[in-house]
Amino acid sequence: MQVKKVGILGCGLMGSGIVEVCAKAGYEVVVREVNDQFLKKGLERLEGSLGTAVEKGKLRKEDRDAARARVRGTTNVADLADSDVVIEAIIEDRVQKREIWAEIGKVVRREALLATNTSSIPLSSLAPATGNPTRFLGLHFMNPVPVMKLVEIVLGIQTTDETLAEGKAFIESLGKTTITAKDTPGFVINVILVPYLCEAVRLVEAGVASPEDVDKGMELGCGVPMGPIKLLDFVGLDTTLAIAEVLSSEFKDPRYAPPPLLRRMVESGFMGKKSGRGFYDYSKKGK
Ligand code: 3HC
């Protein structure tokens, strides 16, 4: 399969990053958001990140302009119909993911590669909605997508070897490395990462240590680039809560249960960096 056009569903934190790496790799990209306001915000995020890449010396100005020119935004799912690869990166909600896959599944070409960027939802619960489960697989990008080198490939029960090989070749064409996981809750990365993030919240919740000390402990003591509370703010408290809910309901094991403080913060609208406040304050005042 020769990939020319990539269709991306969702232009949020992950979607806009996926748009960026695909456009930089030379693919024509059509990205769909639910309304003009979300689309505008997503494309602004893309432009901000491309600008940062230029500032950091990772991208030439002319390559930024060429990448931006390859991206078209839409609010119409049918505009993705002639894509060679479709990547869904909408919110971590099983029902909404099934709905969008049913919609795109009806219009997209049979030979297209169909990928979800889900971070924890079992592929088998989404695959039937696509109408083409043998061509369906998980391509789980890491945040920040333009910087992190890994994409976790997840195989559904019906994903064929050919689909895996094409998915791997596509990801490598973006300059990224892959690992492969079976369709189990949280796959490899999040079954390790999310309990770690939740454990950090439990320490703060129990008053054992401040968020700053938990982060300092892991950064200086264990050499992680970002402490768990900072990382939680960065990934999004809502996203982490959604993943913890999936792990908890799938494994029925209390160690995966999201801590009450995490839920209270999400209910209060503290989603992390993207909402201006999480455990840390990202407003002008807080900065
Ligand atoms: N485009 C291209 N490159 C960029 C860039 C951009 N927009 N922004 C930064 N970079 C490059 C920089 O040039 C630098 O490259 P260098 O090492 O070659 O000099 C590198 O990225 C690091 O950038 P900075 O030095 O500006 O920033 P920091 O050193 O503060 O690092 C970070 C920022 C990369 C986010 C680092 O803190 C980090 O790795 N944090 C952990 C992130 C992580 O764990 N992500 C995974 C989350 S889990 C996930 O996503 C799964 C999901 O399902 C929950």
Side-chain angles (χ1 to χ4, degrees):
M1 179 192 60
Q2 217 214 329
V3 178
K4 285 198 182 132
K5 183 168 172 182
V6 182
I8 298 172
L9 294 160
C11 198
L13 202 58
M14 297 305 284
S16 62
I18 299 170
V19 169
E20 179 176 339
V21 293
C22 292
K24 283 196 294 200
Y27 296 117
E28 189 192 332
V29 181
V30 183
V31 58
R32 186 260 182 186
E33 253 304 348
V34 283
N35 60 40
D36 289 333
Q37 191 199 344
F38 283 6
L39 187 59
K40 184 168 173 278
K41 203 172 161 200
L43 293 176
E44 281 169 2
R45 189 183 291 111
L46 166 71
E47 274 158 26
S49 179
L50 285 170
T52 308
V54 172
E55 273 166 35
K56 300 258 178 198
K58 300 279 173 192
L59 190 67
R60 292 184 311 171
K61 274 192 183 146
E62 52 270 37
D63 292 335
R64 171 197 62 193
D65 297 341
R68 182 63 188 88
R70 286 185 204 107
V71 179
R72 187 162 69 85
T74 183
T75 52
N76 187 358
V77 171
D79 287 339
L80 278 66
D82 60 345
S83 303
D84 303 301
V85 179
V86 173
I87 306 174
E88 168 271 306
I90 70 162
I91 63 162
E92 199 64 359
D93 178 277
R94 205 178 293 225
V95 174
Q96 291 191 43
K97 282 190 190 288
R98 275 195 198 125
E99 279 170 8
I100 198 85
W101 274 115
E103 209 180 326
I104 186 77
K106 284 193 193 91
V107 295
V108 77
R109 295 159 39 216
R110 289 299 290 173
E111 55 277 25
L113 199 64
L114 309 177
T116 176
N117 180 54
T118 182
S119 34
S120 61
I121 298 173
L123 262 70
S124 314
S125 72
L126 304 175
T130 67
N132 200 358
T134 60
R135 296 293 288 158
F136 186 59
L137 80 174
L139 295 179
H140 180 210
F141 289 78
M142 304 293 132
N143 183 20
V145 179
V147 178
M148 305 312 278
K149 294 185 173 60
L150 185 84
V151 174
E152 186 178 35
I153 298 188
V154 187
L155 303 176
I157 288 175
Q158 295 181 75
T159 309
T160 61
D161 290 347
E162 193 188 8
T163 300
L164 166 63
E166 287 177 25
K168 196 166 185 292
F170 171 68
I171 293 301
E172 285 167 359
S173 77
L174 305 179
K176 303 225 180 261
T177 301
T178 62
I179 58 169
T180 307
K182 290 198 176 137
D183 189 20
T184 59
F187 322 126
V188 171
I189 301 294
N190 281 331
V191 81
I192 298 171
L193 182 69
V194 170
Y196 158 72
L197 299 181
C198 288
E199 207 51 52
V201 175
R202 280 189 199 99
L203 287 174
V204 173
E205 190 172 42
V208 173
S210 65
E212 289 82 359
D213 275 4
V214 170
D215 282 344
K216 205 196 277 180
M218 292 308 293
E219 284 164 18
L220 302 184
C222 296
V224 297
M226 206 180 235
I229 301 288
K230 265 188 223 162
L231 184 57
L232 191 58
D233 274 0
F234 186 71
V235 167
L237 274 63
D238 52 338
T239 304
T240 307
L241 176 62
I243 301 170
E245 305 268 32
V246 170
L247 295 181
S248 174
S249 84
E250 291 276 336
F251 288 119
K252 306 273 185 282
D253 182 331
R255 77 192 145 128
Y256 295 112
L261 177 60
L262 180 62
R263 197 185 298 280
R264 293 295 92 76
M265 297 210 33
V266 171
E267 284 167 349
S268 307
F270 299 159
M271 309 296 183
K273 204 170 173 191
K274 64 183 168 189
S275 73
R277 180 150 176 203
F279 282 88
Y280 295 98
D281 184 359
Y282 301 89
S283 64
K284 278 197 184 116
K285 192 173 133 252
K287 266 182 195 154

